[in-house]
Amino acid sequence: MQSQDLEVPKDASDFGSRSQAGLLAALLATALDGIIAIDPQGQVLLYNQACERLFGYRASEVVGQNVKMLMPEPYRDEHDGYIGNYHRTGERRVIGIGREVQGRRKDGSTFPMYLSLGEGGLTGQPFFVGIIHDLSALRWETEQREGADRLLAQIVESSEDAIISVALDGTITSWNAAAERIHGFLASEAIGRHISIILPPDRIAEDDRIMAQLGAGRSMEHYETVRHHKDGHEVQVSLSVAPIFDASGTMIGASKTARDVTERKRSEERVLGMQHELAHVGRLSAMGQMSAAIAHELNQPLTAIANYAKAAHRLLANEIPELRQLQSAREAMEKAVAQTLRAGTIIRSLRDFVEKRESHKSPEDMNEVIREAVSLSMVGHGHSNVKLALALHPALPRASIDRVQIQQVLLNLVRNAIEAMAEVEKRELTISSGIDAEGLCITVADTGPGFSPEVAARLFQPFVTTKADGMGIGLKICQSIIEGHGGTIAARQEGPGATFVIHLPLA
Amino acid sequence: MPLLVYIVDDDEAVRDSMRLLLEISGFGARAFASADLFLNSDMGDMGCLLMDLHMPGISGLELLRLIRSRGLTRPVIMVSGRRDPVQDAELRAAGASALLAKPFEDRQLLDLVEKALKA
């Protein structure tokens, strides 16, 4: 049988009439899939146009040859065996069904194809028809898609950010490596569970709100919030949430990208803390400068008052003063009064300076406040050889205080103590916190010279000081701050030095 | 022609009250609100100088050194708000004849002025 191209063999009488034969010839020529017929020995009887495109061989090169030329190794060599096997055993294997196999082109390259194989008979001789569907385009697409999926998966896995997807009901559907690291749950532990495993209880409503927003078409970016780690600690995250749609555009869930900003937050807090401390120190030194300026300013009216009063006194010293002297004395007294008002204004400005700042009370860990104040007050006193002991109550309740103001008080007391101990051998500073009948109690005790009973009695009056260059207003300010908190401050002479005891009401 | 007490103080109340006290106690006084006004005066009748240490612009110490460098030898009483041993020593070295801390007793001022005018 010598078929040329797509011409149907003339003796293919089984195919029916001539017109049918023409139709079949056209069908073979236009079919996009390759069609091959072989005899039981494997010799090619028919090889259509599509096959020429698929394999690169002309029909004239293939027809009459063994079909195995179109197969790559190892099928090429095994093919005879397959056919022989079929003839011996009648075991059909691939025949009557189809499967995916490799084809070999003229240039030696191979391609995936789907081969469906049927068995027929022609003039008593069996023959086999193969329909060849080229899978390379489909395979290429699949590979591309799989490659893209793999790439995306790798990007997601290698991301520093936790990338989590959830279904509409909050069930976790994917969980990357960073999510494992940030939240502590393995993907196997998280997937299938509800997103609330990483939500602090007070953030569940927030999550619901975000999902509702997504439903309304709004995604959310870089929203700073708090999430949980498996072990219960909080993780500060910057969260971005976007909806996930299915092919029909229906929202089926959300992807959540969370960046762990705990470290950044911490360093921000550290910077804030330092600014706070600087403001603090600045404020104290400003207070020192203010004191000196006020001392100078107050001296001026006081000097003038003394002078005017003395002048008036002298003018009135005569038993019967002259009218001119009386007038002059009256003027001097008026000027003295004006100067007392001037002094009052200066005092008021000091009070304003101390009290003007609104207090911002919030619940604070007093031990933390003490530690900060102490480390701050040691700045510049590192060389003073003071032995510092902190005796802090381990379970102190939070106190509602203005952190800056209370630290200002502590700073003042600690600095006073350090200065007081400058002249003594034994320099020990003990700061303790605790709770007693009067509330939260903080003591600052030194081993300095202490103070005499008369000084102790007037300690919290302004301008009382044992320091050569002190203004004696520090303790007065401390007292007004503590009293502003509803607390008390007292000085005690306990042991060798001075002890200051602060009581603050429990929140 | 009696010699006058020259007063240099930028604070009007202090300046005015010192002059009043001196005048009713029988001393002639002339007051200046700044170092410049004082330096531009003729100083021919100056018996002594009563000068504030803390003034804007030129400090009392600088002014003292300046007038001493110009050959003025009359006594200078420095008035300051705060006594400080180092500062006192500097003022003495620069030629201050007496130091007076504010506020002061009228007697202290009058005694120092009387002594200075006799020098």
Side-chain angles (χ1 to χ4, degrees):
Chain A
M1 184 189 72
Q2 294 296 310
S3 166
Q4 285 299 309
D5 288 337
L6 298 157
E7 207 178 318
V8 178
K10 288 188 171 60
D11 58 348
S13 56
D14 283 2
F15 284 149
S17 70
R18 295 297 297 177
S19 66
Q20 273 179 312
L23 183 65
L24 286 170
L27 189 145
L28 285 170
T30 49
L32 286 175
D33 281 349
I35 300 171
I36 292 181
I38 60 170
D39 68 13
Q41 283 67 49
Q43 200 176 56
V44 175
L45 303 171
L46 184 144
Y47 180 89
N48 75 347
Q49 267 183 352
C51 282
E52 293 191 327
R53 287 195 301 275
L54 283 172
F55 293 99
Y57 288 107
R58 305 287 300 167
S60 55
E61 292 173 282
V62 179
V63 172
Q65 304 294 318
N66 194 298
V67 72
K68 65 189 182 187
M69 72 184 284
L70 303 175
M71 300 169 192
E73 294 294 349
Y75 315 107
R76 174 182 288 218
D77 290 343
E78 291 168 0
H79 194 252
D80 291 339
Y82 297 154
I83 295 177
N85 191 51
Y86 173 64
H87 290 316
R88 264 194 325 278
T89 66
E91 194 189 335
R92 294 168 66 94
R93 293 210 179 176
V94 69
I95 298 163
I97 51 167
R99 70 167 184 190
E100 195 183 318
V101 295
Q102 293 286 313
R104 182 180 181 276
R105 295 193 190 92
K106 188 180 180 178
D107 64 10
S109 63
T110 63
F111 64 97
M113 62 189 219
Y114 191 87
L115 174 69
S116 52
L117 209 54
E119 187 186 4
L122 187 68
T123 58
Q125 281 286 327
F127 76 97
F128 304 96
V129 175
I131 308 286
I132 295 157
H133 183 71
D134 183 6
L135 294 176
S136 36
L138 186 70
R139 183 54 45 82
W140 186 83
E141 256 177 49
T142 310
E143 272 170 16
Q144 288 295 306
R145 198 168 53 240
E146 281 173 357
D149 287 352
R150 216 164 28 245
L151 184 67
L152 276 176
Q154 277 170 16
I155 291 170
V156 168
E157 274 308 295
S158 63
S159 169
E160 286 281 301
D161 299 342
I163 301 175
I164 299 167
S165 63
V166 293
L168 287 179
D169 66 359
T171 304
I172 296 165
T173 51
S174 76
W175 187 266
N176 73 345
E180 292 187 337
R181 185 169 46 74
I182 291 171
H183 296 295
F185 291 97
L186 293 174
S188 56
E189 296 173 295
I191 292 171
R193 290 179 71 184
H194 194 263
I195 189 72
S196 58
I197 58 170
I198 59 160
L199 294 176
D202 59 335
R203 301 285 178 168
I204 288 174
E206 171 192 291
D207 197 66
D208 290 346
R209 201 167 56 243
I210 292 170
M211 291 299 276
Q213 267 190 29
L214 291 184
R218 292 197 303 274
S219 60
M220 207 193 50
E221 287 184 1
H222 310 305
Y223 171 73
E224 299 223 333
T225 183
V226 181
R227 291 292 177 258
H228 261 178
H229 186 271
K230 186 184 180 184
D231 68 15
H233 78 251
E234 289 193 338
V235 187
Q236 307 271 352
V237 296
S238 169
L239 185 69
S240 297
V241 186
I244 299 175
F245 300 104
D246 69 5
S248 70
T250 309
M251 180 175 157
I252 54 164
S255 74
K256 302 183 169 198
T257 307
R259 172 159 297 181
D260 185 349
V261 294
T262 311
E263 253 323 296
R264 199 198 75 206
K265 280 272 175 194
R266 255 185 227 142
S267 60
E268 275 175 9
E269 273 162 24
R270 268 199 297 277
V271 169
L272 261 177
M274 277 158 68
Q275 286 172 346
H276 224 103
E277 285 178 11
L278 284 174
H280 211 131
V281 170
R283 203 175 146 69
L284 268 155
S285 76
M287 208 148 76
Q289 287 167 7
M290 186 77 182
S291 304
I294 280 174
H296 177 73
E297 282 304 306
L298 268 181
N299 254 332
Q300 306 292 81
L302 291 178
T303 303
I305 290 165
N307 290 344
Y308 284 131
K310 279 293 179 183
H313 182 82
R314 282 170 182 272
L315 285 164
L316 301 174
N318 293 340
E319 207 129 315
I320 305 167
E322 295 170 23
L323 185 60
R324 191 180 50 82
Q325 288 175 316
L326 279 174
Q327 273 174 342
S328 195
R330 194 181 298 125
E331 272 171 34
M333 294 305 286
E334 276 163 9
K335 284 176 176 173
V337 169
Q339 291 303 304
T340 63
L341 296 179
R342 176 184 170 193
T345 308
I346 293 163
I347 297 288
R348 206 155 34 246
S349 70
L350 171 65
R351 192 180 298 141
D352 285 352
F353 178 77
V354 175
E355 294 172 359
K356 199 173 184 178
R357 212 182 73 86
E358 283 174 43
S359 76
H360 299 289
K361 287 181 189 157
S362 57
E364 301 278 0
D365 176 350
M366 188 55 77
N367 288 340
E368 195 54 40
V369 173
I370 291 171
R371 277 190 213 101
E372 274 185 26
V374 169
S375 61
L376 194 54
S377 51
M378 287 299 173
V379 172
H381 289 275
H383 56 281
S384 56
N385 288 323
V386 171
K387 202 172 132 195
L388 176 74
L390 291 181
L392 305 179
H393 190 287
L396 217 52
R398 283 172 179 265
S400 177
I401 57 162
D402 182 318
R403 190 185 184 93
V404 173
Q405 286 189 345
I406 294 298
Q407 287 191 342
Q408 196 172 311
V409 171
L410 293 171
L411 203 49
N412 215 322
L413 294 180
V414 170
R415 288 213 165 151
N416 279 351
I418 291 172
E419 283 174 31
M421 291 187 288
E423 304 296 326
V424 298
E425 277 291 304
K426 188 184 175 197
R427 296 175 191 167
E428 289 175 12
L429 177 62
T430 307
I431 298 155
S432 54
S433 65
I435 307 164
D436 64 15
E438 288 172 69
L440 211 146
C441 173
I442 303 157
T443 60
V444 178
D446 66 37
T447 53
F451 27 68
S452 63
E454 63 188 83
V455 170
R458 299 188 302 130
L459 213 47
F460 293 99
Q461 288 174 13
F463 310 114
V464 172
T465 183
T466 54
K467 290 187 240 170
D469 57 351
M471 276 304 298
I473 56 170
L475 286 177
K476 181 67 202 161
I477 292 169
C478 289
Q479 189 187 38
S480 61
I481 288 172
I482 296 298
E483 287 178 357
H485 281 75
T488 59
I489 180 168
R492 286 187 209 145
Q493 183 88 45
E494 280 176 357
T499 300
F500 284 87
V501 184
I502 296 169
H503 277 102
L504 288 169
L506 289 169
Chain B
M1 179 89 182
L3 293 173
L4 302 181
V5 179
Y6 275 42
I7 302 168
V8 184
D9 196 314
D10 63 303
D11 190 289
E12 201 213 328
V14 173
R15 191 171 66 242
D16 180 62
S17 65
M18 284 201 292
R19 183 175 60 185
L20 179 66
L21 196 54
L22 288 169
E23 281 176 352
I24 62 169
S25 305
F27 299 102
R30 216 178 144 187
F32 302 91
S34 73
D36 276 347
L37 288 172
F38 163 70
L39 288 171
N40 289 325
S41 69
D42 61 19
M43 299 183 209
D45 54 359
M46 184 172 83
C48 72
L49 175 61
L50 197 56
M51 179 167 70
D52 187 29
L53 184 62
H54 302 287
M55 285 189 293
I58 189 167
S59 81
L61 181 61
E62 283 168 324
L63 182 56
L64 176 61
R65 284 178 178 149
L66 183 65
I67 59 179
R68 288 293 180 240
S69 74
R70 287 187 182 181
L72 272 164
T73 54
R74 293 309 301 170
V76 176
I77 302 165
M78 299 298 299
V79 184
S80 76
R82 187 170 146 189
R83 295 293 294 272
D84 169 319
V86 177
Q87 180 183 279
D88 286 0
E90 267 181 333
L91 290 171
R92 298 241 182 236
S97 49
L99 306 169
L100 187 61
K102 283 192 271 190
F104 42 80
E105 286 278 335
D106 56 340
R107 204 58 261 165
Q108 287 175 281
L109 174 70
L110 298 174
D111 286 352
L112 284 174
V113 166
E114 197 168 351
K115 216 168 98 187
L117 289 177
K118 280 182 188 160

